[in-house]
mmCIF file of all heavy atoms in Angstrom:
data_model
loop_
_atom_site.group_PDB
_atom_site.id
_atom_site.type_symbol
_atom_site.label_atom_id
_atom_site.label_comp_id
_atom_site.label_asym_id
_atom_site.label_seq_id
_atom_site.Cartn_x
_atom_site.Cartn_y
_atom_site.Cartn_z
ATOM 1 N N ILE A 170 148.284 -83.535 171.004
ATOM 2 C CA ILE A 170 149.224 -83.015 169.986
ATOM 3 C C ILE A 170 149.830 -81.712 170.588
ATOM 4 O O ILE A 170 149.203 -81.110 171.460
ATOM 5 C CB ILE A 170 148.543 -82.704 168.631
ATOM 6 C CG1 ILE A 170 149.539 -82.714 167.484
ATOM 7 C CG2 ILE A 170 147.617 -81.491 168.691
ATOM 8 C CD1 ILE A 170 148.988 -82.995 166.159
ATOM 9 N N HIS A 173 156.665 -80.453 172.936
ATOM 10 C CA HIS A 173 157.929 -79.493 172.951
ATOM 11 C C HIS A 173 157.516 -78.120 172.549
ATOM 12 O O HIS A 173 158.352 -77.347 171.978
ATOM 13 C CB HIS A 173 159.020 -80.131 172.227
ATOM 14 C CG HIS A 173 159.748 -81.224 172.953
ATOM 15 N ND1 HIS A 173 160.673 -81.081 173.910
ATOM 16 C CD2 HIS A 173 159.481 -82.624 172.925
ATOM 17 C CE1 HIS A 173 160.986 -82.322 174.401
ATOM 18 N NE2 HIS A 173 160.263 -83.180 173.824
ATOM 19 N N ILE A 186 143.966 -87.869 182.954
ATOM 20 C CA ILE A 186 143.381 -89.170 182.727
ATOM 21 C C ILE A 186 143.169 -89.982 184.096
ATOM 22 O O ILE A 186 143.535 -89.473 185.157
ATOM 23 C CB ILE A 186 144.355 -89.997 181.793
ATOM 24 C CG1 ILE A 186 145.760 -90.022 182.298
ATOM 25 C CG2 ILE A 186 144.106 -89.653 180.422
ATOM 26 C CD1 ILE A 186 146.614 -91.088 181.682
ATOM 27 N N LYS A 210 157.382 -97.941 200.022
ATOM 28 C CA LYS A 210 157.306 -98.438 201.406
ATOM 29 C C LYS A 210 158.394 -97.824 202.334
ATOM 30 O O LYS A 210 159.189 -98.463 202.975
ATOM 31 C CB LYS A 210 157.375 -99.946 201.401
ATOM 32 C CG LYS A 210 156.223 -100.522 200.609
ATOM 33 C CD LYS A 210 156.286 -102.031 200.564
ATOM 34 C CE LYS A 210 155.048 -102.563 199.830
ATOM 35 N NZ LYS A 210 154.996 -102.062 198.392
ATOM 36 N N VAL A 268 152.100 -85.720 191.484
ATOM 37 C CA VAL A 268 152.460 -85.675 192.935
ATOM 38 C C VAL A 268 152.534 -84.296 193.445
ATOM 39 O O VAL A 268 152.020 -83.891 194.449
ATOM 40 C CB VAL A 268 153.770 -86.416 193.152
ATOM 41 C CG1 VAL A 268 154.249 -86.188 194.654
ATOM 42 C CG2 VAL A 268 153.617 -87.893 192.905
ATOM 43 N N LYS A 283 145.073 -70.148 200.705
ATOM 44 C CA LYS A 283 144.277 -69.375 199.792
ATOM 45 C C LYS A 283 145.000 -69.121 198.453
ATOM 46 O O LYS A 283 144.905 -68.066 197.826
ATOM 47 C CB LYS A 283 143.954 -67.969 200.371
ATOM 48 C CG LYS A 283 143.005 -68.166 201.624
ATOM 49 C CD LYS A 283 142.338 -66.829 201.929
ATOM 50 C CE LYS A 283 141.273 -66.984 202.999
ATOM 51 N NZ LYS A 283 141.725 -67.444 204.300
ATOM 52 N N LYS A 323 142.904 -76.821 175.480
ATOM 53 C CA LYS A 323 143.738 -76.021 174.447
ATOM 54 C C LYS A 323 144.341 -74.858 175.262
ATOM 55 O O LYS A 323 143.666 -73.981 175.546
ATOM 56 C CB LYS A 323 142.805 -75.494 173.358
ATOM 57 C CG LYS A 323 143.659 -74.761 172.264
ATOM 58 C CD LYS A 323 142.736 -74.244 171.242
ATOM 59 C CE LYS A 323 143.558 -73.318 170.300
ATOM 60 N NZ LYS A 323 142.571 -72.636 169.383
ATOM 61 N N GLU A 332 141.004 -73.062 176.912
ATOM 62 C CA GLU A 332 139.604 -73.377 176.712
ATOM 63 C C GLU A 332 139.533 -74.897 176.670
ATOM 64 O O GLU A 332 140.493 -75.647 176.228
ATOM 65 C CB GLU A 332 139.027 -72.721 175.397
ATOM 66 C CG GLU A 332 139.649 -73.274 174.143
ATOM 67 C CD GLU A 332 139.021 -72.611 172.897
ATOM 68 O OE1 GLU A 332 137.954 -72.945 172.517
ATOM 69 O OE2 GLU A 332 139.672 -71.649 172.323
ATOM 70 N N ARG A 363 165.805 -77.131 174.521
ATOM 71 C CA ARG A 363 165.343 -75.911 174.995
ATOM 72 C C ARG A 363 166.341 -74.754 174.511
ATOM 73 O O ARG A 363 166.010 -73.736 173.981
ATOM 74 C CB ARG A 363 165.084 -75.855 176.441
ATOM 75 C CG ARG A 363 164.170 -74.802 176.784
ATOM 76 C CD ARG A 363 163.767 -74.953 178.272
ATOM 77 N NE ARG A 363 163.095 -73.625 178.603
ATOM 78 C CZ ARG A 363 162.108 -73.367 179.359
ATOM 79 N NH1 ARG A 363 161.623 -74.447 180.055
ATOM 80 N NH2 ARG A 363 161.577 -72.195 179.528
ATOM 81 N N GLN A 364 167.666 -75.090 174.761
ATOM 82 C CA GLN A 364 168.707 -73.991 174.476
ATOM 83 C C GLN A 364 168.792 -73.779 173.006
ATOM 84 O O GLN A 364 168.948 -72.742 172.501
ATOM 85 C CB GLN A 364 170.001 -74.488 174.989
ATOM 86 C CG GLN A 364 170.078 -74.397 176.514
ATOM 87 C CD GLN A 364 171.231 -75.181 177.138
ATOM 88 O OE1 GLN A 364 171.963 -75.827 176.384
ATOM 89 N NE2 GLN A 364 171.279 -75.271 178.390
ATOM 90 N N TYR A 408 160.779 -77.767 163.405
ATOM 91 C CA TYR A 408 159.787 -78.748 163.998
ATOM 92 C C TYR A 408 158.856 -78.029 164.856
ATOM 93 O O TYR A 408 157.638 -78.173 164.762
ATOM 94 C CB TYR A 408 160.486 -79.854 164.829
ATOM 95 C CG TYR A 408 159.538 -80.534 165.770
ATOM 96 C CD1 TYR A 408 158.562 -81.374 165.301
ATOM 97 C CD2 TYR A 408 159.476 -80.144 167.022
ATOM 98 C CE1 TYR A 408 157.542 -81.862 166.091
ATOM 99 C CE2 TYR A 408 158.378 -80.601 167.937
ATOM 100 C CZ TYR A 408 157.590 -81.452 167.459
ATOM 101 O OH TYR A 408 156.550 -81.919 168.270
ATOM 102 N N PHE A 436 150.638 -88.687 163.430
ATOM 103 C CA PHE A 436 151.672 -89.428 162.801
ATOM 104 C C PHE A 436 152.796 -88.435 162.284
ATOM 105 O O PHE A 436 153.986 -88.690 162.394
ATOM 106 C CB PHE A 436 151.152 -90.181 161.579
ATOM 107 C CG PHE A 436 150.471 -91.498 162.012
ATOM 108 C CD1 PHE A 436 149.240 -91.799 161.738
ATOM 109 C CD2 PHE A 436 151.258 -92.555 162.636
ATOM 110 C CE1 PHE A 436 148.574 -92.968 162.182
ATOM 111 C CE2 PHE A 436 150.642 -93.770 163.085
ATOM 112 C CZ PHE A 436 149.340 -93.961 162.858
ATOM 113 N N GLY A 441 158.193 -85.738 162.977
ATOM 114 C CA GLY A 441 158.934 -84.570 163.321
ATOM 115 C C GLY A 441 159.834 -84.746 164.558
ATOM 116 O O GLY A 441 160.952 -84.396 164.659
ATOM 117 N N LYS A 451 164.347 -96.060 169.702
ATOM 118 C CA LYS A 451 163.978 -97.256 168.830
ATOM 119 C C LYS A 451 162.629 -97.833 169.272
ATOM 120 O O LYS A 451 161.823 -98.404 168.520
ATOM 121 C CB LYS A 451 165.106 -98.191 168.587
ATOM 122 C CG LYS A 451 165.555 -98.917 169.853
ATOM 123 C CD LYS A 451 166.615 -100.058 169.450
ATOM 124 C CE LYS A 451 166.969 -101.034 170.451
ATOM 125 N NZ LYS A 451 167.610 -100.514 171.658
ATOM 126 N N ASP A 465 142.569 -99.765 162.106
ATOM 127 C CA ASP A 465 141.949 -99.501 163.328
ATOM 128 C C ASP A 465 142.680 -98.448 164.230
ATOM 129 O O ASP A 465 142.170 -98.027 165.292
ATOM 130 C CB ASP A 465 141.871 -100.853 164.195
ATOM 131 C CG ASP A 465 140.981 -101.814 163.492
ATOM 132 O OD1 ASP A 465 139.873 -101.400 163.037
ATOM 133 O OD2 ASP A 465 141.367 -103.027 163.357
ATOM 134 N N ALA A 469 148.857 -92.097 165.901
ATOM 135 C CA ALA A 469 149.817 -92.531 166.996
ATOM 136 C C ALA A 469 151.109 -91.708 166.956
ATOM 137 O O ALA A 469 151.509 -91.207 165.839
ATOM 138 C CB ALA A 469 150.286 -94.087 166.729
#
Side-chain angles (χ1 to χ4, degrees):
I170 201 160
H173 286 274
I186 49 163
K210 299 180 179 57
V268 169
K283 298 198 170 60
K323 181 182 171 192
E332 63 178 286
R363 200 174 168 146
Q364 285 161 9
Y408 160 77
F436 281 116
K451 66 173 190 297
D465 292 320

